[in-house]
């Protein structure tokens, strides 16, 4: 049965609580964008840079083409290091399909049982969020990855940041409301959540959320840092 996607109503800034998402200081050149567009994610990241890049360019192409090509990775699946990408249509059933695919990935890699539930919930939440900001007939892209103990979900939608500063602020408020569940889940597991304009050649917005191996109050899992509108 198809799952309907709830709409995100517009709310005034006065009705919203102070944004609890982590904000990392950025250079003045990156922080100030007079057109109101979300700043690009810049600076240090504990995870590979392609988390904020094009969803279709997950690695740098070599200048030399080897033929015959090298063999694929034949090592046993690791529960601590993996990366998978999934491109799906913006549709009511997409969050369910994304969760089922993620469940298979976590099962093959034998990820710890206590992380499977919150990881699948995070995939579902970000898939719903990405579909809210992607029109029918367009595609969202999800990345599920584990790196140095941090499990991260990245979602790309096609809703390009607005040039008008007022519209940009209103849209960012809608995104914060839409991400309430994902943010609470991530922070409850010692992770974090945020969003930023996607790096070219990708368009739209990149949203990420991560969970560590324990509840809030544990040591920093080294999750990704980025700009939060």
């Amino acid at each position: 049965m198809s799952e309907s996607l709830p709409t995100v109503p517009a709310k005034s800034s006065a009705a919203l609580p102070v944004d609890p998402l982590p904000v990392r200081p950025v250079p003045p050149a990156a922080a100030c964008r007079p057109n109101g567009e979300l700043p690009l994610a810049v600076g240090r990241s504990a995870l590979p840079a392609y988390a904020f890049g094009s969803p279709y360019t997950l690695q740098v192409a070599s200048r030399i083409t080897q033929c015959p090509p090298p063999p694929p990775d034949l090592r046993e699946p690791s529960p601590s290091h993996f990366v998978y990408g999934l491109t799906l249509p913006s549709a009511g059933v997409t969050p369910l399909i994304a969760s089922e695919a993620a469940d298979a990935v976590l099962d093959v890699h034998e990820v710890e049982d206590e992380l499977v539930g919150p990881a699948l919930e995070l995939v579902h939440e970000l898939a719903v969020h990405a579909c809210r900001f992607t029109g029918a007939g367009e595609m969202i892209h999800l990345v599920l990855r584990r790196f140095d103990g941090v499990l991260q979900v990245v979602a790309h939608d096609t809703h390009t940041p607005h040039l008008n500063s007022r519209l940009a602020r209103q849209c960012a408020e809608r995104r914060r409301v839409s991400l309430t569940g994902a943010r609470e889940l991530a922070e409850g597991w010692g992770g974090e959540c945020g969003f930023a304009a996607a790096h070219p050649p990708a368009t739209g917005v990149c949203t990420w959320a991560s969970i560590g191996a324990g509840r809030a109050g544990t040591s920093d899992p080294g999750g990704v840092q980025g700009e939060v509108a």
Side-chain angles (χ1 to χ4, degrees), residues 63-90:
R63 294 185 178 182
I64 300 176
T65 300
Q66 181 178 342
C67 195
D73 188 349
L74 299 178
R75 294 172 296 181
E76 290 295 319
S78 168
S80 60
H81 291 80
F82 57 81
V83 57
Y84 288 83
L86 189 63
T87 300
L88 297 162
S90 176

Side-chain angles (χ1 to χ4, degrees), residues 1-163:
M1 179 179 296
S2 297
E3 176 181 347
S4 60
L5 297 175
T7 58
V8 181
K11 292 190 177 182
S12 65
S13 58
L16 291 172
V18 177
D19 186 6
L21 297 178
V23 178
R24 176 175 49 79
V26 297
C32 300
R33 306 202 83 178
N35 59 10
E37 182 178 349
L38 292 176
L40 296 178
V42 295
R44 180 184 63 81
S45 169
L47 296 169
Y50 63 68
F52 301 112
S54 166
Y56 307 106
T57 309
L58 299 184
Q59 60 186 12
V60 178
S62 172
R63 294 185 178 182
I64 300 176
T65 300
Q66 181 178 342
C67 195
D73 188 349
L74 299 178
R75 294 172 296 181
E76 290 295 319
S78 168
S80 60
H81 291 80
F82 57 81
V83 57
Y84 288 83
L86 189 63
T87 300
L88 297 162
S90 176
V93 73
T94 289
L96 174 61
I97 295 175
S99 298
E100 293 288 343
D103 191 20
V105 170
L106 300 177
D107 181 55
V108 168
H109 284 269
E110 299 182 346
V111 171
E112 304 92 305
D113 290 341
E114 63 270 19
L115 282 182
V116 171
L120 294 179
E121 186 177 350
L122 204 58
V123 168
H124 185 274
E125 286 285 335
L126 289 193
V128 169
H129 172 78
C131 287
R132 285 181 180 137
F133 290 88
T134 301
E138 298 180 334
M139 309 296 284
I140 69 168
H141 187 79
L142 298 175
V143 176
L144 174 64
R145 50 212 290 263
R146 185 86 180 271
F147 185 84
D148 283 355
V150 178
L151 195 150
Q152 184 192 58
V153 182
V154 182
H156 287 80
D157 62 67
T158 62
H159 192 72
T160 303
H162 301 275
L163 297 179

